[in-house]
Amino acid sequence: MSKERKLWIAFLLVMSVSFAILGYYGFEIYQKAPPLPEQIVTTEGEVVFEGQDIKDGQNVWQSMGGQEVGSIWGHGAYQAPDWTADWLHREALFILNEWSEEDYAKPYEELESEKQALLERRLQVELRENTYDEADGSITISPMRAKAVRFLSNYYRGLFMENPELDELRNYYAIPPNSIKDETRMQQMSGFFFWATWATVTERPGSDVSYTHNWPPDELVGNKATGDLLIWTGFSIILLLVGIALMIFYHAKMKEEEEPEKPVEDPLMKQTITPSMQAVKKYMWIVCVLILIQVTFGVITAHFGVEGDGFYGLDLAEILPYSISRTWHVQLGILWVATAWLGTGLYMAPAVSGRDPKFQKFGVNFLFVCLLVIVFGSMAGQWMGIMQKLGLAENFWFGHQGYEYVDLGRFWQIFLFVGLFVWLALMVRPLLPVIRQRTSERNLLIMFLVSSAAIALFYGAGLMWGRQTNLAIAEYWRWWVVHLWVEGFFEVFATVVSAFLFVRLGLLRTNTATLSVLLATVIFLSGGILGTFHHLYFSGTPTAVMALGATFSALEVVPLVLIGYEVYENYKLSKATEWLKDYKWPIYCLIAVAFWNFLGAGIFGFIINPPIALYYMQGLNTTAVHAHTALFGVYGFLGIGLMLFVLRSLYRKQIWNDKLLSFSFWSINIGLILMVLLSVLPIGLLQTVASVNEGMWYARSAEFMQQPGMDTLRWMRAIGDTIFAIGLFAFVWFVFSLNSSKRLPEEKKEAKVREEEYAEV
């Protein structure tokens, strides 16, 4: 049996087994998610919340920005508190103080330690007992807890509406006055906050840990790290070491084939550029526009961290609050990277055969128009949703869904899903005739189509939750999109495209590239698919999910140990022949991808992956470190690198501004590392210490985050951000300047000849 066939079998096995396990535990999550009650009542029969209030309250929370305004269960933005950790600690202190005044006629803080311990144990018994009755679907709470609910509902009403006494706190949290404009909506959102918090402290039936595995850490209520967290952390580290050893052994054993003889001229310069390939230019231009918008909103979002209600004195929050700027910053980051990659695919598919199928150019142009409608239509809908101009149902369909990375309304999701299948059809049509010819590139092209189909298909996971789906279940499907779609199959697609480009340049043998792609895909997906669970440790899922997530997310790091070899190989390829100087910066972008894969996805990712680490770090700026260095460092640079490959082919003999590209490349890299090392990482590490010593509530509180030292660290981010933004602006300038760049003398003539040749074909 050939190596190729063995790897295809391994690929199919990994896919089938991994998704079977993912599906089985998804079913378990459906069965064991924190129950949504029909009513929350007191032991005296008073109705505190109706079940529909909780469901509607979840939609109210989503409408004001959801995970873009603080977080729930640790998932979301970092400026405001985690509302579950915040509610839990405030509720605990309120009850303790009430009991202390009743029993000892003094505040809880003034009691002797023995009496404090007695009240704390009494509190833990009350809060941790599971009083959900499956028969009538009710949750029963004590009159004292109901009193705490009324107190906290009033506090949050003042915070999200317009209590002048909370103006300073609102400013710290970057929450504009009257973010919620309706009393009924506010009461409903309080119901959702209570239910989500109830799940963090209430023990599962037959267990001594809460639905969220005792997250957030808060010893006052008995939320402490469990033995399972330590055991599976240790196991994940052991498995990581074993995986690294096996990877190094396999790599050492592999016999490398002889390198192919390098072409004396650039093969890509001889390929025919079809009308649909020319039409891809506008995709590269819109990528640049989206980059400019995204960076602008990134600067605004970061500044809200130090001036929560404005931008250097300008009262920006009135028309563009933090929740909107962060939504657009995050969403556009995904969309411009995706557009760069999809545009590259549209360019490469007809390049293989050298001709367009019928209506290919029309399809490329039509898809481009759809893309613009989705991007700017969804942004408009999100603004209207957050500004409370839509009903709850309308907001779900056209406004803001409140889930980070999939914030766009359901209508726009469906539109994008259909658009991805249109893109897939545009990829398949030019390639099918070539695949039928059974050339040496056949398996590589099949893998190219498989990864393209996965990109189209797996975005559909974002359609699996409804408007009022249980949050634990919605989170399960959301991470299918974020982890499997963005971090998973886009990665496979990128690996295939990079290998195919090197084959087309004559720098890799087709067989070598095919084997490398299949092997890399098998290794990556072996940990990557089930590694999805590491996002769900504390999202209302069973313990088995944590065990699987810890085990397989550790394997995601294994391929990165050989990243230095990948860097060296790419660098060596860039020096292979004289004409490859034209591809220096596209290849350097691939080298940057390898570097950030190791640092951002590997080092910074593994810091927060083990269960015991994430228990204290979930929802802190350590997550933002991983997000920026992995999302931009890996996927952003890959998008830029692929764009440069396409532009090098489209603008074949134009004189490139090498100095401008060099400045852009190094500014982006230096700015990104300074952003992390000078600001985001130190803040995250200090928050981690606070989380370990005091609890998550304190690590995210205004009391901790508004200390002078923390404020200085936030301002320090401006250094890296500025250098980073200048680098991206320089890149955009470079791309648009290509249209007016000088050409080599024979270029105009050759371009005309190529057009005539294509017309004859």
Side-chain angles (χ1 to χ4, degrees):
M1 188 183 295
S2 67
K3 283 184 179 179
E4 226 169 77
R5 187 176 178 82
K6 288 178 182 176
L7 286 170
W8 273 113
I9 292 171
F11 169 73
L12 293 173
L13 280 173
V14 165
M15 290 283 288
S16 56
V17 172
S18 297
F19 277 106
I21 296 171
L22 197 65
Y24 173 78
Y25 281 102
F27 177 78
E28 286 285 293
I29 290 169
Y30 270 81
Q31 303 305 310
K32 298 180 180 179
L36 280 166
E38 295 297 323
Q39 277 188 333
I40 294 174
V41 297
T42 68
T43 52
E44 297 175 348
E46 177 194 354
V47 177
V48 182
F49 293 112
E50 296 285 355
Q52 192 58 46
D53 290 336
I54 296 170
K55 293 177 182 178
D56 289 340
Q58 180 173 334
N59 295 151
V60 175
W61 165 71
Q62 291 170 292
S63 75
M64 71 157 193
Q67 291 176 343
E68 306 295 354
V69 186
S71 58
I72 295 282
W73 296 346
H75 294 301
Y78 317 107
Q79 179 73 11
D82 179 272
W83 302 115
T84 46
D86 190 62
W87 181 297
L88 181 60
H89 195 74
R90 289 178 185 276
E91 180 182 13
L93 289 177
F94 178 87
I95 294 173
L96 288 171
N97 274 309
E98 289 291 307
W99 283 343
S100 181
E101 292 288 354
E102 284 180 4
D103 296 350
Y104 306 109
K106 61 171 67 173
Y108 162 77
E109 288 293 331
E110 296 179 11
L111 292 180
E112 299 85 350
S113 58
E114 292 84 355
K115 291 178 181 177
Q116 285 186 338
L118 182 66
L119 290 181
E120 287 170 16
R121 181 57 191 152
R122 179 181 167 190
L123 175 74
Q124 291 167 18
V125 169
E126 170 151 343
L127 296 188
R128 300 189 72 82
E129 181 185 359
N130 194 329
T131 58
Y132 174 69
D133 187 342
E134 288 189 20
D136 63 6
S138 66
I139 293 173
T140 305
I141 62 175
S142 68
M144 177 58 74
R145 196 169 186 187
K147 187 177 181 181
V149 168
R150 287 192 292 272
F151 169 79
L152 287 170
S153 296
N154 187 57
Y155 163 73
Y156 285 112
R157 182 183 297 108
L159 182 64
F160 288 102
M161 296 187 79
E162 204 172 13
N163 184 344
E165 295 176 6
L166 297 176
D167 282 346
E168 185 178 41
L169 192 59
R170 263 195 298 271
N171 180 51
Y172 290 154
Y173 293 163
I175 297 174
N178 278 323
S179 290
I180 303 295
K181 304 182 188 301
D182 181 81
E183 288 276 355
T184 302
R185 282 193 172 196
M186 191 59 243
Q187 180 64 12
Q188 290 168 339
M189 191 167 80
S190 294
F192 170 66
F193 280 4
F194 171 77
W195 171 81
T197 305
W198 174 86
T200 66
V201 71
T202 300
E203 294 177 351
R204 284 183 177 276
S207 173
D208 59 356
V209 297
S210 73
Y211 284 100
T212 60
H213 213 93
N214 287 358
W215 193 94
D218 191 339
E219 294 197 5
L220 206 59
V221 297
N223 270 7
K224 301 177 183 178
T226 65
D228 284 334
L229 292 170
L230 295 169
I231 290 168
W232 289 109
T233 296
F235 186 76
S236 69
I237 293 171
I238 292 169
L239 197 65
L240 171 65
L241 296 174
V242 171
I244 289 172
L246 290 174
M247 177 65 69
I248 292 173
F249 172 77
Y250 182 84
H251 182 71
K253 189 183 174 198
M254 280 176 57
K255 291 183 179 179
E256 297 189 19
E257 297 183 24
E258 292 182 12
E259 293 181 2
E261 186 177 340
K262 306 297 185 295
V264 293
E265 294 180 353
D266 182 355
L268 292 186
M269 294 303 152
K270 296 179 181 179
Q271 70 182 12
T272 302
I273 297 182
T274 69
S276 77
M277 292 165 70
Q278 283 284 359
V280 170
K281 273 186 186 179
K282 64 173 102 26
Y283 282 78
M284 305 302 141
W285 298 337
I286 197 61
V287 166
C288 291
V289 172
L290 296 182
I291 287 175
L292 292 180
I293 300 173
Q294 195 226 354
V295 171
T296 300
F297 286 122
V299 170
I300 293 171
T301 302
H303 189 76
F304 272 127
V306 292
E307 190 182 352
D309 59 357
F311 188 75
Y312 293 104
L314 178 67
D315 192 11
L316 192 62
E318 285 288 322
I319 57 170
L320 190 74
Y322 172 88
S323 53
I324 291 177
S325 71
R326 189 178 191 273
T327 296
W328 289 349
H329 176 65
V330 171
Q331 180 173 295
L332 289 173
I334 297 289
L335 289 175
W336 78 252
V337 170
T339 303
W341 294 17
L342 301 183
T344 300
L346 291 174
Y347 187 84
M348 289 180 59
V352 175
S353 61
R355 63 179 62 193
D356 282 337
K358 197 172 184 181
F359 301 121
Q360 182 77 3
K361 182 180 178 181
F362 171 81
V364 170
N365 290 333
F366 175 74
L367 189 62
F368 180 77
V369 173
C370 291
L371 174 70
L372 294 181
V373 173
I374 291 167
V375 171
F376 296 107
S378 64
M379 288 174 69
Q382 286 158 349
W383 184 87
M384 291 183 69
I386 288 176
M387 301 306 284
Q388 302 290 288
K389 296 180 181 295
L390 299 174
L392 296 182
E394 292 80 6
N395 177 72
F396 172 76
W397 280 98
F398 300 102
H400 199 300
Q401 283 204 56
Y403 294 128
E404 194 178 27
Y405 296 107
V406 279
D407 301 281
L408 63 172
R410 178 55 52 88
F411 171 79
W412 307 110
Q413 277 186 300
I414 294 171
F415 199 163
L416 179 56
F417 186 54
V418 173
L420 287 170
F421 275 94
V422 172
W423 170 76
L424 179 61
L426 292 171
M427 301 280 285
V428 170
R429 293 168 73 242
L431 291 177
L432 276 181
V434 181
I435 290 173
R436 291 194 189 105
Q437 294 173 11
R438 296 186 174 273
T439 63
S440 60
E441 292 179 339
R442 183 171 183 264
N443 279 307
L444 196 57
L445 291 175
I446 289 173
M447 198 65 200
F448 183 66
L449 289 183
V450 167
S451 62
S452 301
I455 287 174
L457 183 63
F458 280 92
Y459 186 72
L463 307 177
M464 297 301 290
W465 64 79
R467 182 166 69 89
Q468 297 192 327
T469 297
N470 188 307
L471 182 62
I473 294 168
E475 279 291 275
Y476 169 73
W477 289 114
R478 182 174 77 92
W479 286 108
W480 271 60
V481 178
V482 180
H483 187 89
L484 287 176
W485 188 65
V486 177
E487 298 182 41
F489 290 102
F490 261 54
E491 178 97 7
V492 175
F493 177 78
T495 303
V496 177
V497 169
S498 300
F500 191 76
L501 283 170
F502 283 133
V503 168
R504 284 274 150 170
L505 286 169
L507 303 177
L508 280 179
R509 295 182 186 278
T510 305
N511 185 57
T512 304
T514 304
L515 291 175
S516 297
V517 164
L518 282 168
L519 178 62
T521 300
V522 168
I523 292 171
F524 180 76
L525 294 182
S526 294
I529 295 174
L530 292 178
T532 305
F533 283 143
H534 83 257
H535 300 285
L536 300 172
Y537 293 159
F538 314 117
S539 296
T541 55
T543 302
V545 167
M546 182 184 67
L548 285 166
T551 301
F552 286 92
S553 65
L555 292 177
E556 290 183 85
V557 185
V558 169
L560 304 181
V561 298
L562 298 177
I563 216 77
Y565 175 78
E566 182 183 337
V567 169
Y568 173 71
E569 284 298 302
N570 285 337
Y571 179 75
K572 192 168 69 171
L573 287 174
S574 72
K575 303 291 184 182
T577 68
E578 184 66 23
W579 56 265
L580 268 170
K581 288 180 179 177
D582 289 341
Y583 294 93
K584 174 182 176 179
W585 295 111
I587 292 175
Y588 268 43
C589 284
L590 297 184
I591 292 172
V593 168
F595 169 77
W596 289 109
N597 225 336
F598 174 73
L599 184 62
I603 302 298
F604 293 145
F606 191 72
I607 284 174
I608 62 174
N609 268 8
I612 192 62
L614 196 59
Y615 180 73
Y616 293 108
M617 290 181 173
Q618 179 152 296
L620 304 184
N621 276 270
T622 44
T623 305
V625 170
H626 171 58
H628 281 86
T629 53
L631 184 56
F632 186 91
V634 178
Y635 299 112
F637 260 116
L638 192 52
I640 290 173
L642 294 178
M643 280 179 65
L644 290 175
F645 271 114
V646 171
L647 292 171
R648 182 69 271 177
S649 181
L650 281 170
Y651 297 91
R652 296 191 167 192
K653 293 191 177 180
Q654 282 173 286
I655 301 171
W656 281 29
N657 189 337
D658 196 62
K659 289 182 179 179
L660 184 59
L661 262 183
S662 175
F663 173 79
S664 169
F665 177 84
W666 292 113
S667 293
I668 294 170
N669 277 286
I670 292 169
L672 186 55
I673 197 71
L674 289 178
M675 176 201 307
V676 169
L677 295 182
L678 294 181
S679 180
V680 188
L681 182 60
I683 291 173
L685 294 177
L686 289 170
Q687 283 183 300
T688 302
V689 173
S691 176
V692 172
N693 292 334
E694 302 290 338
M696 180 59 61
W697 67 272
Y698 182 65
R700 291 283 298 273
S701 68
E703 179 186 356
F704 177 75
M705 291 299 293
Q706 297 303 321
Q707 297 176 82
M710 299 296 282
D711 208 35
T712 301
L713 285 173
R714 281 194 292 274
W715 274 109
M716 290 288 285
R717 179 171 171 171
I719 299 171
D721 282 4
T722 303
I723 296 171
F724 179 79
I726 290 172
L728 279 172
F729 277 104
F731 171 74
V732 171
W733 181 13
F734 166 80
V735 172
F736 284 117
S737 70
L738 286 173
N739 292 302
S740 57
S741 296
K742 293 181 180 179
R743 298 185 179 188
L744 296 176
E746 69 274 17
E747 169 62 8
K748 291 183 180 179
K749 183 178 178 181
E750 288 185 5
K752 186 176 180 181
V753 170
R754 283 196 302 272
E755 289 172 7
E756 291 173 353
E757 287 176 349
Y758 185 81
E760 291 174 6
V761 171

